[in-house]
Amino acid sequence: MIESRVRFRHLQTFLEVARQKSVVKAAGLLNVSQPAVTKTIRELEEALGVSVFERDGRGIKITRSGEVFMQHAGMAITALRQGIDSVANARAEGAPPIRIGALPTVSAHIMPRAMSLFLGEDTGATIKIVTGENAVLLEQLRLGELDLVVGRLAAPEKMTGFFFEHLYSEQVVFVVRAGHPLLKGDADVFERLGEFPLLMPTRGSIIRPFVERFFITNGVASIPTEIETVSDSFGRAFVRQSDAVWIISHGVVSDEIKAGTLKMLPVDTAETRGPVGLTMRTDTQPSAAFSILLKTIREAATERG
């Protein structure tokens, strides 16, 4: 039987190689030799009767059969981890840990209030929150390393195996320090934009395509000085001490805008507006604590608008 030949190490190795797209990188992260990884993948392919990876230039890429298997492998690893967590926490008389991936805008705008509400429920659950780009968080969700992602709705082709619950919509804004030259007089923002450093979302971020289309629509052909970043702490510090223009989701800087430490440029960015919400795997079976967490996130989103 195939299932009797496929072990945990096969699934773990397969998922790491799929994520890293490299046997060498996977071997390093798994603390095993490259030949050991290659042998494990070969054993898996022999058990399945199909190839799960194929050569792609100097690297490798996952096959169609591998993509199909990856979804189920991720669910299997998730189920096993949940079982281990449940046993460990049962002995500690606590609830299973809940792993959340949140975009920077959500981490700043929603999660602090959501966590305050959740702690008030006294569930005893351990919460782990990580921040990163939407694509990275969704991949971790697919592989079972996260239980929930709070962020923008991904493209349809990225949503296979997931479902999305809309919380609110948000748009991108152009912000600068108080007293910035572009705030003076009737300055044409797009004509003078090239005079200043621009902090841009990274090319892998979900809002980058919105920003690029927005620039094309407004006749901005090139950006002389561009810094890509997903670090909101760097963005805040750099903008406050320079004439840089920061292009960022409104939720990341909403408190600073209210306080007056950062100012929005008079740019109509309505076309960059997009849905933000909860993304979960379709096979998710929420525990009591997980259901309470979802409720508190919804409440926090409603309060912050």
Side-chain angles (χ1 to χ4, degrees):
M1 296 175 64
I2 289 178
E3 56 267 30
S4 67
R5 298 167 57 190
V6 177
R7 308 295 188 193
F8 176 78
R9 63 183 176 86
H10 293 114
L11 301 182
Q12 185 181 39
T13 302
F14 166 74
L15 291 173
E16 197 60 58
V17 173
R19 182 168 59 177
Q20 300 300 326
K21 298 181 176 63
S22 166
V23 170
V24 175
K25 291 180 181 178
L29 290 169
L30 294 169
N31 292 317
V32 298
S33 67
Q34 182 179 343
V37 171
T38 302
K39 180 184 177 183
T40 301
I41 294 299
R42 188 179 301 117
E43 290 173 354
L44 176 63
E45 291 178 329
E46 289 175 356
L48 296 176
V50 296
S51 296
V52 292
F53 296 107
E54 61 186 10
R55 292 194 176 280
D56 182 27
R58 295 184 178 180
I60 59 173
K61 66 177 182 180
I62 195 168
T63 64
R64 177 57 184 161
S65 295
E67 290 178 350
V68 172
F69 183 67
M70 182 169 68
Q71 180 178 351
H72 298 285
M75 289 190 294
I77 291 290
T78 299
L80 181 59
R81 284 174 174 161
Q82 287 175 342
I84 294 171
D85 287 341
S86 296
V87 171
N89 283 280
R91 289 190 298 182
E93 297 184 352
I98 303 171
R99 299 158 300 178
I100 308 168
L103 287 183
T105 176
V106 175
S107 295
H109 189 56
I110 300 298
M111 293 311 296
R113 177 55 179 163
M115 287 301 96
S116 294
L117 293 171
F118 181 75
L119 291 175
E121 298 287 346
D122 194 25
T123 65
T126 300
I127 300 294
K128 299 178 182 179
I129 301 174
V130 299
T131 299
E133 294 179 352
N134 214 61
V136 174
L137 296 178
L138 287 179
E139 184 64 14
Q140 291 177 326
L141 179 64
R142 190 180 303 280
L143 295 176
E145 296 173 359
L146 294 174
D147 301 305
L148 168 70
V149 170
V150 191
R152 283 225 180 192
L153 173 63
E157 64 271 16
K158 302 291 187 182
M159 291 298 293
T160 303
F162 298 143
F163 71 89
F164 179 84
E165 178 185 330
H166 180 268
L167 293 177
Y168 61 94
S169 293
E170 184 175 62
Q171 65 195 61
V172 171
V173 292
F174 288 52
V175 295
V176 295
R177 63 171 176 81
H180 192 280
L182 286 177
L183 295 171
K184 300 174 182 178
D186 297 323
D188 187 313
V189 172
F190 291 109
E191 280 190 4
R192 297 192 58 194
L193 202 57
E195 300 175 20
F196 309 98
L198 259 64
L199 294 186
M200 291 276 288
T202 60
R203 297 184 190 279
S205 68
I206 198 165
I207 65 172
R208 178 69 182 228
F210 291 92
V211 175
E212 291 179 341
R213 286 196 295 270
F214 184 76
F215 277 154
I216 292 171
T217 301
N218 288 277
V220 179
S222 63
I223 302 168
T225 306
E226 173 184 341
I227 302 173
E228 294 186 8
T229 182
V230 292
S231 171
D232 52 302
S233 56
F234 167 75
R236 289 187 181 91
F238 189 66
V239 167
R240 285 171 180 162
Q241 61 187 260
S242 72
D243 284 339
V245 178
W246 191 10
I247 303 172
I248 188 67
S249 293
H250 182 270
V252 176
V253 291
S254 59
D255 289 339
E256 286 78 5
I257 291 171
K258 289 178 182 177
T261 55
L262 293 180
K263 301 287 186 179
M264 286 195 300
L265 293 178
V267 177
D268 183 2
T269 59
E271 65 186 80
T272 67
R273 194 171 183 83
V276 177
L278 309 172
T279 300
M280 289 170 277
R281 291 185 302 277
T282 53
D283 66 324
T284 298
Q285 297 181 345
S287 64
F290 191 83
S291 297
I292 292 172
L293 173 66
L294 296 177
K295 178 177 71 72
T296 60
I297 293 175
R298 294 183 189 110
E299 290 178 5
T302 300
E303 289 180 12
R304 294 302 298 262

